[in-house]
Amino acid sequence: MTIKVVAISGSIRSGSYNSGLLRAAIEVAEDCLQGIEVEFVEISHLPMLNTDLEGPGTFPHDVEAFRKKILEADSILFASPEYNYSVSAPLKNAIDWAGRPPNVWGDKAAAIVSAGGGFGGGRSHYHLRQIGIYIDLHFINKPEFFLNVFQPPAKFDNDGNLTDAATKEKLKEVLLALQAFSLRLKESLYGVPDKDSTFYCYSGNLVRCYFRPEFSAAV
């Protein structure tokens, strides 16, 4: 089966190195890997979280579309810049919208990459992992990926596109680990999934339920 990965960048600036990592991950998946598809999903257009914007079981149009993308994904790839030892405001806002009841993050595999100065955004990983506990995301532990973009050799071009071959290889390792963990998680939760699936609400999470031909009920 093909693992569908939604890629989300916590940086919304043009020329973002973190967004550049995700563009490179998409290229790596297309050129070098089988059984995995990576789609970049934009978050800059999401309104700031405000429950006054919610109706009975409804959300603003852009939020609904974003939540649908998350719900239909098998796993999530975050590119998380570090601000004040934590995640960025746009990323936290997106996480909170998709975590509104019913939570659509639940029981998905996830991985984190980051780019920046110093620790390469690594401290943001710790807070993102803490957030993931409550919304039932399951992060891979290794390989860890945080890139100091200011150490030579140059890693990106002037447009924020990743050019360093060694870094692309590390991205490939992250994608392979995420793919393998996603498959193990699905088998653990549902058995080996078939093409047929539906969604149901379980413990506050809206999750995908797979059907196997030998059973008439979900596993």
Side-chain angles (χ1 to χ4, degrees), residues 27-47:
E27 293 174 3
V28 168
E30 291 176 347
D31 297 342
C32 306
L33 302 177
Q34 293 183 341
I36 184 169
E37 296 176 355
V38 183
E39 178 187 2
F40 185 90
V41 174
E42 183 63 65
I43 63 172
S44 62
H45 58 290
L46 296 176

Side-chain angles (χ1 to χ4, degrees), residues 14 119 162 180 199 202:
S14 60
F119 196 10
L162 183 66
F199 299 99
Y202 175 75

Side-chain angles (χ1 to χ4, degrees), residues 109 111 140 142-143 171-184:
I140 65 170
K142 293 181 179 64
L171 276 177
K172 180 180 177 181
E173 293 173 3
V174 171
L175 289 174
L176 286 171
L178 180 59
Q179 180 186 31
F181 184 56
S182 298
L183 290 170
R184 292 201 307 272

Side-chain angles (χ1 to χ4, degrees), residues 41-77:
V41 174
E42 183 63 65
I43 63 172
S44 62
H45 58 290
L46 296 176
M48 288 298 294
L49 181 71
N50 180 354
T51 55
D52 288 343
L53 301 178
E54 298 179 21
T58 64
F59 299 91
H61 177 267
D62 287 341
V63 174
E64 291 274 16
F66 175 70
R67 286 172 56 88
K68 186 172 185 291
K69 288 288 187 181
I70 301 304
L71 178 62
E72 294 176 347
D74 298 306
S75 53
I76 313 295
L77 177 62

Side-chain angles (χ1 to χ4, degrees), residues 61-133:
H61 177 267
D62 287 341
V63 174
E64 291 274 16
F66 175 70
R67 286 172 56 88
K68 186 172 185 291
K69 288 288 187 181
I70 301 304
L71 178 62
E72 294 176 347
D74 298 306
S75 53
I76 313 295
L77 177 62
F78 293 101
S80 179
E82 179 185 329
Y83 286 87
N84 300 319
Y85 280 25
S86 188
V87 299
S88 68
L91 180 55
K92 184 59 165 62
N93 184 58
I95 291 171
D96 289 346
W97 270 124
R100 293 291 297 158
N103 170 37
V104 295
W105 298 107
D107 287 334
K108 298 183 188 297
I112 313 169
V113 298
S114 62
F119 196 10
R123 296 180 188 88
S124 72
H125 294 215
Y126 304 138
H127 271 190
L128 186 49
R129 288 175 181 274
Q130 285 181 310
I131 294 167
I133 293 171

